[in-house]
Amino acid sequence: MTAAEEAPRSRRRPRGDVRAGLVAAGVELARSGGPDAVVLREATRAVGVVPNAAYRHFADRDELLAEVCSAAMNELAERMAAEIGRVRGKRGNPAAAQRRLGAIGAAYLEFARDEPGLFATAFAVPQQHAYAGRDTGDAPDRTPLGLLRAALDELVEAGVLDPQRRDGIEYPIWSLVHGTAVLTGQGPLRDASGVELRQIQARTLAFIGNSLA
C-alpha cells in the first residue's frame, strides 16, 4: 500500500488485517442491510482505508460479497452447532437423535428471525462464485448442510429413518425449513404474531419428524 492509502507508514496495517477487516465490515453491513448493503466504499470507510485500497484484496464488489456470504453461512452453522450441543443423549439414542434434528431446524428458523440481513446474505452468493459443500477430507463437514446430513445419518443409526429413504432426503427437509423461514421472515407470514410464529415453527418441525419416523 502507498502512503496515500494508509498514512503514516508507522500505522500501516498488515495486508491480511486489511482483508479481514473489510470482510468483517462487510458482515456488519450485511447484518444491518442484507446483501445489497455490502458495498466496497462503505467497507473501506469502516476499516479506515481509502476506497482504492480494497482493490488490492478484492477484484470487485462481488468478490467481497462472496466472502461475506461465506462468513454469514458460517455464523448460521455456528448457531446450529451450538443448539445441537445443548441436546443431551448419546449418539444413536432414538429420542436424542430426533431432538438433535429438531434443534437444527429450530436454530435455522431462529437465525432467520434474529439475523434477517445475514440470513438473506448467506444465500446471495454471486453467480460466478461456486456454492457447494466443502471438501473437508476426513474432518466433519461443519456447514449447515453438513450438520443436517450428520443428523440424518444418526437417525439411520438409531433406527428411526429407513436407510432406503436416506439418500437425498436432506434436500426436501432443507427446502421445507428454508421456505418456512422465508415465508415468516420477508414473505406473507411476516406479520404473524409471536405465538403464531412459534406454532408455525413447531408444526413445521413436527411434520418433518413425523415424516421420517
Side-chain angles (χ1 to χ4, degrees):
M1 294 178 192
T2 65
E5 289 174 327
E6 293 184 293
R9 178 179 291 269
S10 62
R11 280 189 279 173
R12 283 185 182 178
R13 297 176 178 85
R15 184 178 180 85
D17 286 356
V18 174
R19 181 183 177 87
L22 290 170
V23 173
V27 168
E28 294 311 309
L29 290 168
R31 193 185 303 277
S32 60
D36 291 342
V38 181
V39 180
L40 278 171
R41 182 174 293 274
E42 293 301 320
T44 55
R45 181 179 293 116
V47 175
V49 296
V50 299
N52 286 344
Y55 294 102
R56 294 182 178 273
H57 305 277
F58 301 100
D60 53 26
R61 179 257 183 182
D62 277 355
E63 198 165 285
L64 171 62
L65 178 58
E67 291 290 327
V68 174
C69 291
S70 179
M73 190 66 76
N74 288 341
E75 194 160 325
L76 169 57
E78 289 171 3
R79 180 81 68 95
M80 293 167 66
E83 289 302 311
I84 293 171
R86 293 189 178 96
V87 177
R88 296 184 177 182
K90 293 182 179 179
R91 181 176 179 84
N93 176 277
Q98 290 173 306
R99 289 196 299 271
R100 278 188 272 274
L101 179 65
I104 285 176
Y108 196 98
L109 293 171
E110 288 166 7
F111 183 83
R113 184 172 63 250
D114 296 344
E115 298 284 2
L118 286 185
F119 183 75
T121 302
F123 300 97
V125 179
Q127 186 174 359
Q128 68 266 35
H129 295 281
Y131 177 59
R134 299 181 196 143
D135 181 6
T136 59
D138 294 331
D141 183 351
R142 306 298 291 178
T143 64
L145 182 56
L147 293 170
L148 173 58
R149 284 172 170 160
L152 292 170
D153 290 342
E154 184 186 5
L155 286 174
V156 172
E157 294 175 24
V160 176
L161 175 62
D162 186 338
Q164 294 183 350
R165 299 181 60 208
R166 170 64 189 87
D167 187 31
I169 202 170
E170 59 266 34
Y171 298 114
I173 292 173
W174 187 6
S175 298
L176 181 56
V177 176
H178 187 82
T180 300
V182 172
L183 287 171
T184 56
Q186 301 300 318
L189 300 179
R190 63 184 178 275
D191 294 326
S193 68
V195 172
E196 291 172 325
L197 288 174
R198 287 190 291 274
Q199 289 175 339
I200 292 168
Q201 174 175 311
R203 288 167 180 161
T204 299
L205 300 180
F207 181 84
I208 292 171
N210 292 335
S211 69
L212 295 178

